[in-house]
Amino acid sequence: ILNVEQSPQSLHVQEGDSTNFTCSFPSSNFYALHWYRWETAKSPEALFVMTLNGDEKKKGRISATLNTKEGYSYLYIKGSQPEDSATYLCAFAPSNTDKLIFGTGTRLQVFP
Amino acid sequence: EPEVTQTPSHQVTQMGQEVILRCVPISNHLYFYWYRQILGQKVEFLVSFYNNEISEKSEIFDDQFSVERPDGSNFTLKIRSTKLEDSAMYFCASRFRTSGTNEQFFGPGTRLTVL
């Protein structure tokens, strides 16, 4: 059974704080690791797709790293803003299938 | 910007009734998916569809479920006889043919409530 875990489950931070979440996934049969940002009543929005060990990607104040050998990825948000409040989902794409396997998500709330 | 759309946003039905959830994938995408999230649980894969046939399905996707692409734009999920445990948020997703990273674009979901 392929298991993807995320921590923490929820996080409350003050505006301006930096924060990070973890996604752990199987280290075998790796194809890609996806991060999505999901606001209630909206479509999950793709943030990053990461494929190579050691990958580091950045989009504005949000960045992500990837370690495929040990099976983890970190998502960082620098200087959190209230509009960053959302659930952040990671999804593991195994090499032998077309499906995505999701973690439980980290629900972030940023207070002004 | 092209997006995946889903209708209805919320569907309430009685146990044993048939429901059809509708999705319009992004127009030049050729791979289509359904996922669901039961409240408090992970988003889980149901089925993938390519070239007018199912390419992969999970153990959840039993004979009560079916998918169809009835025309060039819609992609539907039918549940023949709904059960209480089918209550969930159902997401449609689509992917471009040559996406080397399996990047899937998601719709906003249909919340299905079975009473």
Side-chain angles (χ1 to χ4, degrees):
Chain A
I1 296 177
L2 298 173
N3 201 25
V4 178
E5 297 294 339
Q6 289 186 248
S7 63
Q9 279 196 317
S10 66
L11 201 51
H12 301 113
V13 301
Q14 287 294 128
E15 182 176 354
D17 287 350
S18 293
T19 186
N20 65 84
F21 329 131
T22 305
C23 172
S24 61
F25 53 86
S27 54
S28 58
N29 293 325
F30 177 86
Y31 186 72
L33 194 282
H34 300 247
W35 281 101
Y36 287 89
R37 179 176 178 276
W38 180 30
E39 289 182 72
T40 305
K42 294 186 179 178
S43 302
E45 172 200 353
L47 288 175
F48 304 111
V49 182
M50 310 181 79
T51 56
L52 297 176
N53 185 43
D55 245 358
E56 185 166 342
K57 297 206 171 181
K58 192 173 179 184
K59 185 188 272 191
R61 294 178 291 98
I62 306 176
S63 60
T65 61
L66 180 69
N67 182 323
T68 59
K69 293 187 178 176
E70 294 180 42
Y72 64 84
S73 175
Y74 294 134
L75 187 81
Y76 300 92
I77 302 179
K78 186 177 175 183
S80 304
Q81 300 295 310
E83 57 264 31
D84 296 328
S85 297
T87 296
Y88 291 82
L89 295 166
C90 74
F92 170 67
S95 58
N96 54 354
T97 176
D98 203 24
K99 65 186 177 190
L100 296 179
I101 300 169
F102 282 84
T104 46
T106 293
R107 185 170 179 176
L108 173 68
Q109 282 191 280
V110 182
F111 295 103
Chain B
E1 190 174 323
E3 58 183 18
V4 177
T5 59
Q6 291 185 242
T7 54
S9 57
H10 191 189
Q11 172 111 33
V12 181
T13 190
Q14 294 289 327
M15 190 170 57
Q17 295 295 303
E18 175 183 287
V19 294
I20 297 176
L21 309 183
R22 291 186 165 79
C23 168
V24 179
I26 294 172
S27 64
N28 61 350
H29 286 191
L30 297 178
Y31 293 82
F32 313 111
Y33 309 84
W34 284 101
Y35 292 81
R36 77 174 186 188
Q37 185 185 36
I38 294 170
L39 191 63
Q41 298 185 23
K42 296 180 181 181
V43 174
E44 51 190 354
F45 169 80
L46 293 178
V47 66
S48 58
F49 189 86
Y50 170 70
N51 201 25
N52 279 320
E53 58 183 32
I54 290 173
S55 45
E56 188 174 355
K57 61 182 181 179
S58 71
E59 58 274 11
I60 303 165
F61 195 89
D62 61 23
D63 292 345
Q64 292 300 312
F65 291 88
S66 61
V67 289
E68 196 178 26
R69 189 152 160 83
D71 53 42
S73 58
N74 290 284
F75 179 51
T76 62
L77 174 70
K78 182 195 288 187
I79 309 175
R80 287 190 183 81
S81 178
T82 49
K83 303 172 192 163
L84 296 176
E85 55 264 36
D86 293 327
S87 295
M89 179 75 91
Y90 287 80
F91 291 100
C92 171
S94 68
R95 171 168 79 89
F96 188 57
R97 181 173 58 87
T98 58
S99 170
T101 58
N102 194 12
E103 184 173 9
Q104 297 177 21
F105 293 80
F106 284 79
T110 292
R111 180 165 296 286
L112 176 65
T113 302
V114 182
L115 302 176

